[in-house]
Amino acid sequence: MNHDFLWGGATASYQCEGAWKEDDKVKSMWDHYLHEENLENGDIASDHYHRYEEDIRMMAEGGQNSYRFSLSWPRIIKNKEGDVNEKGIEFYHKILDTCKKYGIEPFVTIYHWDLPQYWEETGGWLNEEVCYAYQHYAKVCFDNFKDKITHWVTFNEPKWFICSGYLIGNYPPAHQNPQETIKAAFHVMYANALGVKAFREGNYPGNIGIVHSFTPVNGIDDTVETKIAMRYADNYCNNWILDTAAKGEIPIDLLTALSKIYDISFIKPKHLKTIKENTVDFLGLNYYSRTLVKPYTEGETVLIVNHKGKESKGESKVILKGWFEQVLHDPNMTYTEWDTEIYPKGLQEGLIEVYQRYHLPIYITENGVGVQEDVSVDQVQDDYRIAFMNDHINAIMNAMDEGVDVKGYYAWSSFDLYSWKNGCKKRYGLVAVDFEDNLKRKPKKSYYWYKEMIQNNGKT
Ligand code: BGP
């Protein structure tokens, strides 16, 4: 086994911990929003807060040597004044000590979407003050856990939570406002740089990166119009995060295009200087699928929904007038129950492209398939998940053969958990969690397959 390569699974605090009010944790924007809207929530989720020992032990028994999880801001920082909740700190020490006990390397995300509600009430990511609050929170994490964590991630998927929260409106704060989207997006990338700055200034051990929801862009043909649409789509899907975090530069053609329609005067030289001077050490790519596009010039449409709700099957695409239109449903391709195209080749091609562009080490920080499963059986026979992971891991190995520096792979998810807005019925886990029967854990067939694959160093 190649001991340097990290093989594991991933989770996120809100999606698995539960214990939403325990030990002085305050409300996150997700707690608030899902309760207000009366939607299925993560109050209990997989109850990882109480069952972490069993979960981490199962990771080790499944041959995994790493665990990607996130820290919860509302568990760690009590209020706008920045006071620390020692019980929150203690909880993550217990997780980290358990990882150590089982020989599991922690790979830790500082922010995976659970903004404290007390900050959301001041305007959330539209408020520049939140960027400095994030920096304070990140510093508290570095100071408290520096001896136990060496792989740090500033943010999980800025595109997904910003576009869903401010443009599409299906995630909290559920706005539909392009002007706000641009401002919130910018603030998150600025906060990313502030987090990196705090990390560098504190001289903490280890590395820091960002995790991006990576969708390589393909065009439907080779025409000039399609190539232009592809560039717009790449800016929308990838470059505003990757260029900004890795090179310290917001793509200039994106800024020019935006400034013709929107106000970007909130971007000041001091922000750009911080962004330029504080770039990341590595890139984490979450890969679920690609984006196939064609030009879109007609009609009045600014944007149409892009969400992963099952009800929207066949409609979950992005259209930006004058920029591009996402193409769905190529009859030759296969799609998941939730409308995601299965396209492993995109991972291989995308990895090569990203590595050529940024020359940074890459981790595949999420990859998996969401399915409705009957978990009352002794063992879920998830051959579809095995096939999915097998094909994507092969794609990674091929990219590595071509020289790409991939350092780890994380299945989404380590065990079944809460899927944003879909609730617990959309399952991704290697281990089944029976939400109807006492949250019992039972490894799926894929868990054993993954163990063997890890022992073979990624050869299947
Ligand atoms: C990514 C998120 C994860 C996870 C995953 C699956 O975008 O980082 O938190 O949820 O997607 O998505 P979903 O649960 O919406 O199917």
Side-chain angles (χ1 to χ4, degrees):
M1 176 172 162
N2 171 3
H3 291 282
D4 292 339
F5 197 89
L6 298 181
W7 289 108
T11 66
S13 47
Y14 183 77
Q15 295 180 271
C16 71
E17 286 177 4
W20 74 297
K21 287 204 282 200
E22 216 163 305
D23 289 336
D24 300 335
K25 175 184 168 289
V26 295
K27 265 198 276 174
S28 73
M29 72 194 296
W30 276 91
D31 292 315
H32 177 82
Y33 169 79
L34 294 172
H35 276 261
E36 285 288 300
E37 299 290 316
N38 217 0
L39 293 167
E40 187 177 336
N41 58 49
D43 289 2
I44 300 174
S46 324
D47 196 28
H48 187 56
Y49 194 76
H50 300 109
R51 301 178 197 226
Y52 62 88
E53 164 102 29
E54 179 186 4
D55 291 331
I56 296 170
R57 175 179 50 74
M58 286 174 89
M59 291 170 200
E61 286 172 0
Q64 300 165 38
N65 62 4
S66 186
Y67 175 31
R68 174 176 178 238
F69 63 94
S70 76
L71 306 171
S72 159
W73 186 347
R75 214 179 268 297
I76 291 182
I77 306 287
K78 289 198 262 198
N79 50 33
K80 283 195 297 232
E81 290 65 46
D83 295 327
V84 176
N85 174 14
E86 291 304 334
K87 292 182 194 159
I89 299 286
E90 201 184 306
F91 168 64
Y92 291 111
H93 272 302
K94 287 197 277 185
I95 295 243
L96 291 163
D97 292 344
T98 310
C99 283
K100 185 148 194 238
K101 172 172 163 195
Y102 289 105
I104 298 278
E105 182 70 34
F107 193 99
V108 180
T109 308
I110 297 168
Y111 184 84
H112 198 128
W113 306 357
D114 43 359
L115 185 73
Q117 177 62 16
Y118 58 74
W119 278 120
E120 181 47 40
E121 279 161 15
T122 72
W125 289 108
L126 295 171
N127 174 5
E128 186 174 336
E129 223 189 318
V130 171
C131 304
Y132 303 109
Y134 168 85
Q135 189 184 34
H136 165 72
Y137 159 55
K139 210 169 161 328
V140 168
C141 299
F142 300 145
D143 283 335
N144 279 281
F145 307 123
K146 60 177 181 299
D147 299 331
K148 299 181 184 175
I149 301 173
T150 54
H151 300 90
W152 291 96
V153 168
T154 54
F155 280 90
N156 179 71
E157 297 193 351
K159 178 184 75 194
W160 206 271
F161 76 88
I162 290 298
C163 291
S164 302
Y166 292 93
L167 191 58
I168 295 151
N170 59 325
Y171 282 9
H175 299 179
Q176 290 180 314
N177 184 325
Q179 175 68 62
E180 284 187 2
T181 308
I182 297 160
K183 194 170 193 184
F186 177 72
H187 281 155
V188 168
M189 295 316 295
Y190 177 51
N192 166 72
L194 290 172
V196 174
K197 187 170 191 284
F199 187 73
R200 305 268 182 252
E201 285 174 355
N203 237 334
Y204 300 100
N207 293 309
I208 191 157
I210 191 165
V211 164
H212 169 52
S213 46
F214 180 50
T215 59
V217 173
N218 293 154
I220 46 153
D221 56 35
D222 282 338
T223 60
V224 175
E225 292 75 18
T226 299
K227 290 222 162 69
I228 295 171
M230 283 169 68
R231 172 68 195 177
Y232 276 121
D234 209 14
N235 274 342
Y236 171 85
C237 293
N238 303 308
N239 302 338
W240 67 267
I241 295 121
L242 295 180
D243 278 16
T244 310
K247 300 207 261 183
E249 290 161 11
I250 307 169
I252 192 73
D253 56 341
L254 175 65
L255 278 183
T256 311
L258 290 175
S259 67
K260 287 189 187 142
I261 327 172
Y262 301 107
D263 174 19
I264 57 165
S265 61
F266 51 85
I267 305 181
K268 305 275 190 254
K270 72 159 188 182
H271 301 126
L272 295 176
K273 184 168 182 289
T274 304
I275 287 174
K276 184 73 203 166
E277 288 171 355
N278 295 284
T279 54
V280 293
D281 299 318
F282 66 83
L283 296 171
L285 302 180
N286 292 350
Y287 183 80
Y288 291 90
S289 197
R290 63 162 170 178
T291 302
L292 182 64
V293 300
K294 64 180 183 185
Y296 182 84
T297 47
E298 294 155 29
E300 290 308 310
T301 315
V302 175
L303 175 102
I304 293 190
V305 183
N306 171 24
H307 76 82
K308 293 190 263 183
K310 193 167 192 302
E311 293 66 31
S312 70
K313 196 165 164 60
E315 292 166 28
S316 50
K317 66 175 167 184
V318 180
I319 298 177
L320 288 166
K321 188 185 172 192
W323 284 24
F324 69 92
E325 172 174 352
Q326 188 180 355
V327 178
L328 287 175
H329 291 111
D330 178 335
N332 302 316
M333 302 308 297
T334 8
Y335 293 81
T336 71
E337 257 181 74
W338 262 271
D339 219 15
T340 308
E341 182 185 346
I342 301 182
Y343 195 67
K345 192 169 154 228
L347 180 54
Q348 183 177 337
E349 293 171 349
L351 274 170
I352 294 169
E353 214 179 290
V354 168
Y355 191 62
Q356 277 170 357
R357 210 187 290 180
Y358 304 107
H359 303 287
L360 287 177
I362 299 173
Y363 295 84
I364 299 304
T365 34
E366 284 180 32
N367 176 236
V369 59
V371 180
Q372 299 193 76
E373 292 168 319
D374 173 11
V375 300
S376 64
V377 295
D378 285 343
Q379 188 186 84
V380 176
Q381 300 297 301
D382 52 347
D383 293 289
Y384 39 85
R385 182 166 290 110
I386 294 174
F388 183 96
M389 288 174 68
N390 182 56
D391 293 349
H392 286 83
I393 291 169
N394 276 337
I396 296 167
M397 296 297 143
N398 291 342
M400 287 172 77
D401 286 345
E402 295 198 39
V404 180
D405 184 16
V406 184
K407 293 197 166 311
Y409 172 89
Y410 295 86
W412 183 267
S413 46
S414 308
F415 45 86
D416 288 338
L417 33 71
Y418 173 86
S419 161
W420 311 100
K421 297 286 290 279
N422 296 298
C424 290
K425 66 176 183 284
K426 189 177 186 185
R427 296 171 183 273
Y428 282 89
L430 297 169
V431 173
V433 174
D434 195 338
F435 298 105
E436 306 293 308
D437 182 12
N438 215 15
L439 299 160
K440 249 191 233 149
R441 271 65 170 156
K442 279 181 274 180
K444 301 180 191 174
K445 188 176 176 185
S446 55
Y447 168 92
Y448 297 103
W449 171 86
Y450 191 41
K451 178 176 183 172
E452 210 181 307
M453 196 278 311
I454 294 170
Q455 275 158 359
N456 292 332
N457 270 328
K459 298 209 172 42
T460 53

